[in-house]
Amino acid sequence: MTVQRIGVVGLGAMGAGIAQVAIEAGFDVVGREVSGELGDAAAARIGHFLTRKVEKGQQTEEERDAAVARLETTTELDALADCDLVIEAIVEELDAKRALFTELERLCRADAVLATNTSALSVTEIAAATASPERVVGMHFFNPAPLMPLVEVVRAELSADGPVATALAVVEQLGKVAVPCHDTPGFVVNRVLIPLLNDCVRVLDEARVSPESLDAAMANGAGWPMGPCTLLDLVGIDVHVHASEALYEKLREPRMAAPPRLVAMRNAGLYGRKSGRGFYAYG
Ligand SMILES: NC(=O)c1ccc[n+]([C@@H]2O[C@H](COP(=O)([O-])OP(=O)(O)OC[C@H]3O[C@@H](n4cnc5c(N)ncnc54)[C@H](O)[C@@H]3O)[C@@H](O)[C@H]2O)c1
């Protein structure tokens, strides 16, 4: 199926980034938020990022204006009725996502592909809330979506070939790198990265090294582009602990569980960059 019109539900950190990437690639986008204020704020954020690209000489004013004109925001789910593909990026809660997919199935065209951007929930369980699970897939973008090249295209238990192929084609049109995979906890990257980062934090205490030293060790000894403490501050300690808990619940592997030090940081509001303090302080 050829996709021209993409619906994005939830214009938070991920949804707004996905909407931005899609309008820049020439798709028409309908972004749905729960209130007009949130929709306006997301559209303003996207406009701001595109203007920055003009200032940096990465695109022309005409290109920016044409991209912005392709974005429409709404509070009505019904406005997604004629979308070819809908990408869900709402809160990471199974019940909320299942309720939304039931609604999307009711109001979208029968041939529309329904995708979830969930990080740690089962795409199969979300799809099971619909009577047409064959058209449900995962499209797992990474944060920040405009900058991170990878999108994991997740085949759920009952996904049909057509919708998976459509999602793969859209990722290519977005100029991103698609990695197709099956619906397993953490998919590919988080399945590897979450326990690895948890190990790194355990090593902080076991080897009694500072965050600076651990980051220097992994950057200079393992070739990491940034050290694990810097990466955790960037991802958000709260986001990482939440993903660890979700993976531990599913896999019961001790390495998946967030180390107490990270849980304490999360509880204290030391989320990293976004809160101004994590392993490091940000001005
Ligand atoms: N933040 C990340 O690093 C990251 C990376 C990849 C995937 N994800 C996934 O993307 C999804 C969104 O994450 P985010 O970080 O953008 O969250 P966010 O909190 O920034 O945004 C969530 C948005 O959904 C809306 N929303 C909340 N509850 C809703 C409901 N019941 N119905 C409809 N809309 C609702 C909110 O208004 C908000 O704009 C989650 O499934 C998350 O796991 C997040």
Side-chain angles (χ1 to χ4, degrees), residues 182-254:
H182 281 253
D183 184 23
T184 53
F187 312 133
V188 176
V189 171
N190 283 342
R191 172 70 180 79
V192 174
L193 198 55
I194 298 272
L196 188 54
L197 288 173
N198 286 337
D199 278 348
C200 288
V201 173
R202 290 185 182 101
V203 166
L204 271 181
D205 296 323
E206 289 166 14
R208 282 176 264 174
V209 288
S210 65
E212 288 85 351
S213 295
L214 179 63
D215 279 0
M218 296 309 288
N220 294 290
W224 285 28
M226 72 176 82
C229 297
T230 303
L231 179 57
L232 280 162
D233 274 0
L234 190 64
V235 167
I237 308 293
D238 54 334
V239 170
H240 175 83
V241 168
H242 188 267
S244 294
E245 286 168 348
L247 281 186
Y248 179 70
E249 198 179 299
K250 294 213 168 89
L251 297 167
R252 294 288 160 197
E253 287 179 26

Side-chain angles (χ1 to χ4, degrees), residues 24-62:
E24 285 190 271
F27 292 100
D28 298 318
V29 173
V30 189
R32 189 266 187 170
E33 253 303 351
V34 288
S35 74
E37 293 73 37
L38 285 172
D40 291 346
R45 277 201 317 279
I46 292 170
H48 167 77
F49 285 126
L50 295 184
T51 297
R52 295 263 302 157
K53 290 180 87 166
V54 174
E55 287 162 3
K56 289 186 200 158
Q58 294 169 346
Q59 63 177 208
T60 64
E61 279 187 28
E62 292 71 35

Side-chain angles (χ1 to χ4, degrees), residues 36-118:
E37 293 73 37
L38 285 172
D40 291 346
R45 277 201 317 279
I46 292 170
H48 167 77
F49 285 126
L50 295 184
T51 297
R52 295 263 302 157
K53 290 180 87 166
V54 174
E55 287 162 3
K56 289 186 200 158
Q58 294 169 346
Q59 63 177 208
T60 64
E61 279 187 28
E62 292 71 35
E63 284 168 336
R64 177 200 58 195
D65 293 346
V68 166
R70 285 191 284 270
L71 175 67
E72 172 191 332
T73 59
T74 180
T75 55
E76 303 296 326
L77 262 189
D78 285 346
L80 306 180
D82 58 350
C83 287
D84 307 306
L85 164 70
V86 176
I87 303 174
E88 167 277 311
I90 68 165
V91 63
E92 183 79 333
E93 286 173 13
L94 184 60
D95 288 346
K97 290 195 194 282
R98 283 174 56 96
L100 175 65
F101 273 74
T102 307
E103 276 293 286
L104 289 175
E105 175 181 46
R106 185 185 59 74
L107 63 89
C108 291
R109 285 199 327 262
D111 65 340
V113 175
L114 307 181
T116 172
N117 183 48
T118 183

